[in-house]
Amino acid sequence: MKVILNKDLATLGEEGDVREVAKGYARNYLFPRGIALPYTPRMIKLIEERRIEIEARKEQKRLDARGLKEKLDAFELSLTMPAGANGKLYGAVTNQTIADELVKNGFNIERKRIELAGNGFKNVGKYKATVKLYENQSAEISVNIIAQEIKTESSSSKQAPRRGRRDEGKKENAVPSENPASSEAVSAPSETASAVNAE
């Protein structure tokens, strides 16, 4: 059945657009939420009366998209990711990764609007990510993926002193325990000898 969109809906279109949808979808979802209106002469007239206002909103969206495009085209995103010696990442940079980083830099862009070549970036290097904006406008972001340094020497140097301390502790404990036993063993015969001589 035909409906007229009363609000923007990413999967269908924008306010004022006429779309063909399933009856159940219209009756159970679109109409109760006020997203769409039935395609009737009365509703067509109502939308036409709002046409100037709708077009003004669309023009504002176009202007906002152009401004955002300029900012994104000039923006370079640097990501530091754990990687092996050959430059292969431990994981992949996905559109969700880029969306999260863009939010940190003040760009609130949905993950589904970001397109990457393949299933993501899996190696260190420079890449381009496409961001779909309003209508047919899109921007390209430069993504620079840098390998994260993994400090293996510091962890091994921390473990070495621990082993040494344990060994030293064992030696220190072992030495006093041997000395008293040996001194007792030496002194015991001399005492018995003096006792025998006294008798």
Side-chain angles (χ1 to χ4, degrees):
M1 67 179 294
K2 274 187 179 181
V3 296
I4 306 167
L5 292 181
N6 193 38
K7 295 178 183 175
D8 293 356
L9 186 65
T11 53
L12 276 181
E14 297 180 272
E15 184 183 5
D17 292 350
V18 177
R19 293 288 182 265
E20 191 79 37
V21 297
K23 286 181 182 180
Y25 181 51
R27 288 177 185 160
N28 299 326
Y29 184 80
L30 299 176
F31 295 159
R33 287 166 177 78
I35 296 168
L37 304 168
Y39 188 76
T40 61
R42 181 169 166 264
M43 292 303 168
I44 293 166
K45 187 180 177 184
L46 181 71
I47 288 294
E48 285 306 319
E49 287 170 2
R50 290 168 46 196
R51 185 63 62 190
I52 295 169
E53 173 186 326
I54 292 167
E55 286 304 321
R57 276 197 289 271
K58 285 185 178 182
E59 187 54 36
Q60 186 58 51
K61 287 177 191 175
R62 287 184 196 105
L63 291 171
D64 292 345
R66 279 189 213 116
L68 184 57
K69 176 180 165 51
E70 286 174 15
K71 288 178 185 175
L72 290 173
D73 285 340
F75 180 71
E76 183 175 316
L77 182 64
S78 288
L79 295 170
T80 305
M81 305 289 290
N86 60 354
K88 190 168 176 64
L89 301 178
Y90 297 132
V93 173
T94 63
N95 55 359
Q96 184 62 62
T97 313
I98 291 175
D100 293 342
E101 289 299 318
L102 287 174
V103 167
K104 290 177 190 175
N105 286 279
F107 299 103
N108 193 12
I109 294 168
E110 296 171 325
R111 171 186 58 83
K112 61 187 175 185
R113 288 169 57 191
I114 301 168
E115 292 181 352
L116 310 180
N119 293 325
F121 306 140
K122 299 178 182 178
N123 291 288
V124 170
K126 292 192 174 184
Y127 300 91
K128 292 282 185 185
T130 305
V131 179
K132 287 189 171 181
L133 302 173
Y134 186 67
E135 292 176 338
N136 60 352
Q137 293 185 73
S138 61
E140 274 197 341
I141 305 172
S142 297
V143 181
N144 188 20
I145 303 171
I146 305 160
Q148 184 179 11
E149 290 180 17
I150 299 167
K151 296 178 182 176
T152 51
E153 291 175 10
S154 61
S155 60
S156 62
S157 63
K158 284 178 185 175
Q159 290 175 356
R162 287 181 186 170
R163 288 178 191 157
R165 286 176 192 161
R166 285 179 190 162
D167 293 342
E168 285 169 13
K170 286 177 185 174
K171 285 178 186 174
E172 286 171 10
N173 293 338
V175 171
S177 65
E178 286 173 10
N179 289 340
S182 61
S183 63
E184 282 173 14
V186 171
S187 63
S190 63
E191 284 173 10
T192 52
S194 60
V196 170
N197 292 335
E199 288 173 1

